[in-house]
Amino acid sequence: MRGTITKICILSLFFYLRERKDRTKVESGEYTDEIRGGRVWDRRLISAGREAEKREKLKFEKKKNPRLIRQIIIWAAEIAGACAVAVLLVAFFGHRISNSGDAMTPSIRNGEVVLVDRLVIDMKELSRGQIVAFRPNGNKEVHFYIRRVAGLPGETVQIKEGKLYIDGEELKSYEYVSEIRDAGIAAEPVKLGADEYFLLGDNPQGGEDSRSSDIGIVKKDDLYGKVWFNTTSGDHFGIVKK
């Protein structure tokens, strides 16, 4: 009986001293008061675990960064490409010109704004009836003129009794103007060279065109482009028909 009591006293003293020791270490900062699974964990082990988690997170972020950089580069390239395409489209197909005068009435009225296709001039030959923008004699100091192609390179143009003749025959298919009162220089046959055009307005009395000696035959190099779109709101808005 005494032996049993002695053992109990010794165990009680052991646990008491152990508890005192743990409290002392907690107070000194050696142990943390975080309890996991019923045990007091070493703060240094917890700190090491947290550092390991941070390192893993940094590794994960480093792995993500190259993908992000590549994605940013792709986005930047796409934006730059879209801007380049937009600039080219505007440069070759979207140059705006304001029509001045009544020479192209009723097709294009005075003050209406049109878009010019500059690329078509170099890519293929113009056809009769197409509307073009040009500067007379290549003079860059004057406003753009807008007129319709009546005579093509190599043809002989003449205006007789208010009618358009090509190579000696009346061009009945040229329906853009019904009567040309003033033949101008085309009163006599006008032979066009390999790169020359004879241009007329739809309203011959409304302004000058190739009949006038001030404008005359228009060379291909003086053509700025083909008029293809009318941007003015109203019944004329849309693609300019041949």
Side-chain angles (χ1 to χ4, degrees):
M1 184 72 177
R2 290 182 180 177
T4 302
I5 295 173
T6 302
K7 289 180 181 180
I8 293 173
C9 291
I10 292 173
L11 288 174
S12 299
L13 179 61
F14 172 77
F15 285 116
Y16 172 75
L17 293 175
R18 183 175 177 179
E19 184 181 355
R20 288 288 304 273
K21 182 180 180 181
D22 288 341
R23 287 181 180 178
T24 302
K25 289 185 176 182
V26 168
E27 292 173 358
S28 65
E30 188 174 348
Y31 281 128
T32 181
D33 58 353
E34 293 189 36
I35 306 297
R36 296 184 181 179
R39 295 181 60 188
V40 180
W41 289 74
D42 191 332
R43 176 178 292 177
R44 289 172 295 181
L45 292 176
I46 295 173
S47 178
R50 289 175 177 171
E51 290 296 328
E53 289 178 0
K54 289 181 180 179
R55 286 195 297 270
E56 289 298 324
K57 185 177 180 181
L58 288 174
K59 288 181 181 179
F60 179 71
E61 290 178 351
K62 287 180 180 179
K63 289 179 181 178
K64 288 173 58 179
N65 285 340
R67 295 181 183 178
L68 180 60
I69 292 173
R70 283 196 299 270
Q71 191 64 44
I72 291 174
I73 292 174
I74 292 172
W75 288 340
E78 290 176 349
I79 293 172
C83 291
V85 171
V87 170
L88 291 175
L89 288 175
V90 171
F92 290 109
F93 303 104
H95 188 83
R96 294 160 53 92
I97 291 178
S98 176
N99 181 47
S100 177
D102 298 317
M104 286 301 294
T105 304
S107 300
I108 302 175
R109 302 189 185 98
N110 181 37
E112 291 186 336
V113 178
V114 297
L115 300 182
V116 176
D117 178 357
R118 300 182 61 189
L119 200 59
V120 69
I121 297 295
D122 297 322
M123 292 186 63
K124 61 180 182 179
E125 296 295 332
L126 293 172
S127 60
R128 196 183 328 275
Q130 289 183 325
I131 300 176
V132 295
F134 70 100
R135 283 192 172 105
N137 303 311
N139 186 355
K140 296 182 179 181
E141 300 299 324
V142 300
H143 191 275
F144 282 107
Y145 280 59
I146 297 177
R147 301 291 186 269
R148 194 182 297 274
V149 176
L152 299 171
E155 295 180 338
T156 298
V157 181
Q158 188 176 10
I159 298 174
K160 296 188 299 182
E161 299 178 353
K163 304 297 181 181
L164 177 65
Y165 285 76
I166 299 295
D167 295 334
E169 297 184 5
E170 182 183 349
L171 190 65
K172 295 182 179 180
S173 61
Y174 193 83
E175 55 189 17
Y176 307 105
V177 56
S178 58
E179 182 182 6
I180 306 174
R181 298 175 186 173
D182 181 12
I185 63 172
E188 299 296 329
V190 178
K191 177 66 176 179
L192 301 177
D195 62 345
E196 295 177 336
Y197 294 87
F198 194 89
L199 308 180
L200 290 175
D202 289 359
N203 177 23
Q205 287 66 246
E208 293 181 318
D209 48 37
S210 288
R211 297 169 299 150
S212 169
S213 58
D214 292 336
I215 295 179
I217 297 170
V218 179
K219 295 184 178 296
K220 183 176 182 179
D221 290 342
D222 295 335
L223 296 176
Y224 188 72
K226 173 181 172 292
V227 175
W228 71 279
F229 196 90
N230 193 327
T231 65
T232 307
S233 60
D235 57 344
H236 280 187
F237 177 83
I239 295 176
V240 175
K241 297 180 180 180
K242 180 177 174 181

